[in-house]
Amino acid sequence: MKPNTMTALAKTRAEEGLWMIEAPVPEIGPDDVLIKINKTGICGTDIHIWNWDDWAAATVPIPMITGHEFAGEIVELGRDVTDLKIGQRCSGEGHLTGTESRQSRAGKFHLDPGTRGIGVNVQGAFAQYLRLPAFNVIPLPDDIPDEIGAILDPLGNAVHTALKYDLLGEDVLITGAGPIGIMAAAVARHAGARNVVITDINAERLELAQHVEPTVRTVNVIQEKLADVVTALGLKQGFDVGLEMSGNQSALDQMIEHLVMGGKIALLGIPPGKSPVDWSRIVFKAITIKGIYGREMFETWYKMIAMLQNGLDVSRINTHEFSARDFKLGFETMKSGQSGKVVLDWGDVK
Ligand code: ZN
């Protein structure tokens, strides 16, 4: 039986922190489903909202139930939903898109300029129940557990970035060993890259990268020169493809420096404000650059689930799991910079 109220983790005041609140269980529309949340992942976005930085203060209306990375189970179907069933385990795309824009009408929903995000602009998933359009639901096969279902959103960022270019037989440089960079290394390997090198300045993160994807070559750029690694690997000119995951200016500089003529870069990392770029270097090296946002709806989801069923293993990126009641511990762990993905379990909440 569906209760009238639920426990949720929300931004209720314009200051640092998130608070457990009692909120009404969402009413669903004819095209929505109601999802009972089992597990959620904490994202960098949630940390921005916790910290209430300039971006969050300018973007997120209050009160807002945060969170957009989740796995759960459908407990109620809207009147017009015919292709889903009660009891179906699922995750879902947290970007809510319209149908009117040119991009949406061309089937490129992820490029709809009117996109709103759950947990950012619309009530989110850090709660016992979530309302989601049936269109956004991704059913989870039995062999994908909830703790992986809860991180498909960031894995989708990694997959979207890594699959932007054909990686079969290519040498790939990833700058930034956060959870998405690390998962991208595993995806790049799965997609057939020859050498996968990942750089960072955080030793713990590089260790985690090695733990998640043992074949990756980690480089702490404080201790080791990327140029030496290029030589040691026997790469004549450098890397064919770069996946920029850090938003760090010197990481991008190093990437451009060590890319082959005609190399390609996919940019997912977000620099803080404007940053200087050596454009003439990019022109003379004939480099292609592509910005990556979100996940392709829904091709990325399809590919990612197929790869998970075909041996892609990112399970070790989940380094911590807490009861959602211990969310403060979860956020502290995330903020320490010494964790992979942190999962909150909603199963035993109230
Ligand atoms: Zn996220």
Side-chain angles (χ1 to χ4, degrees):
M1 270 304 287
K2 189 179 83 164
N4 293 322
T5 64
M6 64 178 186
T7 303
L9 188 54
K11 194 78 186 183
T12 53
R13 304 198 290 271
E15 58 186 77
E16 190 181 343
L18 290 172
W19 298 273
M20 275 292 185
I21 60 164
E22 205 58 17
V25 171
E27 293 291 328
I28 62 168
D31 297 313
D32 299 330
V33 300
L34 189 69
I35 297 166
K36 184 174 190 303
I37 298 294
N38 292 333
K39 296 195 178 185
T40 55
I42 302 178
C43 180
T45 303
D46 305 317
I47 301 295
H48 287 290
I49 296 173
W50 175 288
N51 292 340
W52 206 238
D53 59 16
D54 292 345
W55 170 83
T59 311
V60 181
I62 292 177
M64 177 60 64
I65 298 170
T66 51
H68 57 272
E69 304 178 359
F70 68 92
E73 176 184 329
I74 296 174
V75 291
E76 191 183 354
L77 299 171
R79 191 182 55 219
D80 295 339
V81 178
T82 55
D83 54 347
L84 292 167
K85 288 200 167 63
I86 304 256
Q88 170 71 57
R89 292 174 57 249
C90 68
S91 182
E93 170 61 56
H95 285 165
L96 310 185
T97 59
T99 55
E100 301 299 316
S101 69
R102 176 181 176 184
Q103 292 90 335
S104 289
R105 289 174 70 81
K108 300 173 191 162
F109 296 100
H110 61 289
L111 298 179
D112 179 30
T115 297
R116 295 168 307 145
I118 66 166
V120 177
N121 320 103
V122 180
Q123 302 301 325
F126 287 167
Q128 289 181 289
Y129 295 93
L130 169 72
R131 172 184 54 203
L132 196 71
F135 180 71
N136 287 56
V137 168
I138 307 290
L140 285 177
D142 292 342
D143 51 358
I144 297 185
D146 285 341
E147 58 270 24
I148 297 297
I151 62 161
L152 290 182
D153 171 289
L155 175 59
N157 293 131
V159 168
H160 187 187
T161 311
L163 297 191
K164 186 63 229 167
Y165 305 113
D166 180 9
L167 297 186
L168 181 62
E170 305 287 0
D171 298 317
V172 178
L173 173 65
I174 300 170
T175 45
I180 295 177
I182 293 174
M183 289 192 282
V187 174
R189 169 64 69 194
H190 190 82
R194 177 169 60 177
N195 292 291
V196 181
V197 173
I198 191 165
T199 65
D200 207 293
I201 55 169
N202 178 327
E204 277 94 8
R205 290 187 149 178
L206 290 169
E207 212 172 293
L208 180 61
Q210 198 90 65
H211 185 57
V212 172
E213 179 48 60
T215 66
V216 74
R217 171 69 156 90
T218 59
V219 181
N220 188 331
V221 288
I222 292 176
Q223 294 162 353
E224 208 176 356
K225 279 210 179 82
L226 199 49
D228 295 340
V229 176
V230 169
T231 308
L233 290 174
L235 308 182
K236 285 208 176 68
Q237 295 177 43
F239 298 93
D240 304 298
V241 176
L243 311 176
E244 208 305 294
M245 303 291 198
S246 71
N248 182 287
Q249 188 204 321
S250 61
L252 181 60
D253 285 346
Q254 285 167 11
M255 179 174 279
I256 292 164
E257 187 61 33
H258 293 290
L259 223 56
V260 299
M261 283 288 296
K264 303 173 193 114
I265 295 177
L267 286 179
L268 186 79
I270 301 166
K274 295 183 180 178
S275 79
V277 175
D278 189 351
W279 287 109
S280 62
R281 193 97 180 98
I282 292 166
V283 171
F284 286 125
K285 284 186 103 165
I287 287 170
T288 303
I289 299 184
K290 173 77 170 73
I292 305 289
Y293 175 65
R295 295 142 300 280
E296 276 189 33
M297 294 165 67
F298 288 88
E299 188 63 8
T300 302
W301 291 89
Y302 184 92
K303 290 273 195 185
M304 126 171 97
I305 286 171
M307 285 190 286
L308 286 168
Q309 293 187 305
N310 186 29
L312 174 67
D313 182 4
V314 293
S315 57
R316 283 181 291 226
I317 198 66
N318 284 336
T319 54
H320 296 78
E321 182 166 325
F322 300 98
S323 163
R325 287 175 307 191
D326 297 326
F327 67 93
K328 284 184 185 156
L329 221 51
F331 275 80
E332 272 167 31
T333 305
M334 268 292 281
K335 290 209 271 184
S336 74
Q338 295 184 355
S339 71
K341 289 300 291 183
V342 175
V343 171
L344 298 178
D345 182 356
W346 290 80
D348 63 347
V349 172
K350 213 221 347 210

